[in-house]
Amino acid sequence: MRTALVKVGGIVGAAVIATSVVAGCGSSDDGTIKIGAIAGLTGNFITEEVVKTAKRVFDDVNDAGGINGKKIDFIVKDDAGNPQRTAQVARELADDDVVAMAASGSFTDCDVNDAFYRQQKISSIMAVGASAKCFQSPTIAPVNVGPFTLITAELLFASQTLKNDKICNFTVVLPGSEEAVNNALAQWEKISGKKLAVSDTTVQQSGDLTPYLLRAKQAGCDAILFNPGEQLVVPFLKAAQTQGMTDVDFLLMAPAYTESVAKAVGDLGLKVYAGSEFEPFTADSDANKGWKDAVTRAGAPATAFSQGGYLAAVFLVDVLKSIKGDITRESVNEALRTMRPISNPMVGTPFTFGPGDRHAPNQASKMVELKDGKWVPLGDFITVPTSS
């Protein structure tokens, strides 16, 4: 998965993708079940594969006759990675009378629109949640693990599977995420009964990374958790090779689980692992068959982002099918809050929305190991026990 640690660009004109506007019934004046999504179709950070894969799922439903004979109108708006656009297009979707949001792939959506979604009583099954706000809202439920649960899961992998005794943590913390990161670290300490040998949450997104590695060497760390994406991970690991740290287990987060990272550092002779948001997207497994088929027919790249788009659409379709009577914003909200958990082999814990004031249903990750320039899936899901 690509990194969410990016700077957003300026205002760019919005592109709108509208799918399958066909006669149906719901709260919409034109007789369709309107589902909205916000994604980066232009700008510095493109998430088009998220909504293209979700669109394929909704198109398949429509091709099969829709939901109780009613077709889905999937309306995707481009925010170009710009917060002002993110706010504007959310209001446009509300004015379009969407009954819910699904498969959004915007990294500013949660922070910008959380209060608006609460006010308008719009629920969102999000494909890619990155900021803390995405996992702290009564109206948003991401399908991905997210960076905070993943921190805990990877540390459990280090302490329980790799049997590391001294673990170092070097984390870039974005504004607003301090509490979530600290809670993730504390959760691991509570579960494992261990303490980090070094924990630095002041890592900058530029500059010389060697001092962090020297601190880890001085502390005798046998594992290092490093959370940034490709632009920092590659020089970090190259510096680690220069320091001769071939006996250290390097734990990377989902943004570094990309084929380009594998190619860039695969020949360094280091022990490198990364966490996945779902069933590893590089795995040729039965769990990935439905998504692989959908993403191929959608003509979209096979990435963890497209996995999120696929699952968000699949989960919403299941919820919509459970509704008796008219499908409206109110009936969708009620169905989400009273839904039965939905199991899917691509995720380690069932998806549910429920009545809570925050939602982080995905509490499990699989790990992948870098071998011969390729990511190789390891073992089963690592599930983080929920806090009491």
Side-chain angles (χ1 to χ4, degrees), residues 269-346:
L270 301 176
K271 295 189 292 182
V272 181
Y273 305 88
S276 65
E277 297 274 18
F278 312 103
E279 174 77 4
F281 73 88
T282 52
D284 185 17
S285 62
D286 288 341
N288 276 337
K289 278 186 176 179
W291 157 69
K292 279 281 182 71
D293 175 65
V295 77
T296 300
R297 288 186 293 116
T303 65
F305 279 9
S306 63
Q307 286 180 306
Y310 171 81
L311 287 169
V314 166
F315 292 149
L316 181 60
V317 167
D318 280 359
V319 171
L320 293 177
K321 287 181 177 178
S322 73
I323 297 174
K324 292 179 169 47
D326 289 341
I327 295 178
T328 65
R329 194 175 296 176
E330 292 73 20
S331 66
V332 172
N333 288 339
E334 177 66 16
L336 285 169
R337 281 151 183 78
T338 59
M339 68 177 286
R340 293 182 178 180
I342 303 171
S343 296
N344 186 289
M346 288 177 65

Side-chain angles (χ1 to χ4, degrees), residues 136-152:
Q136 298 170 348
S137 170
T139 62
I140 301 171
V143 300
N144 65 315
V145 177
F148 313 109
T149 296
L150 192 56
I151 286 174
T152 308

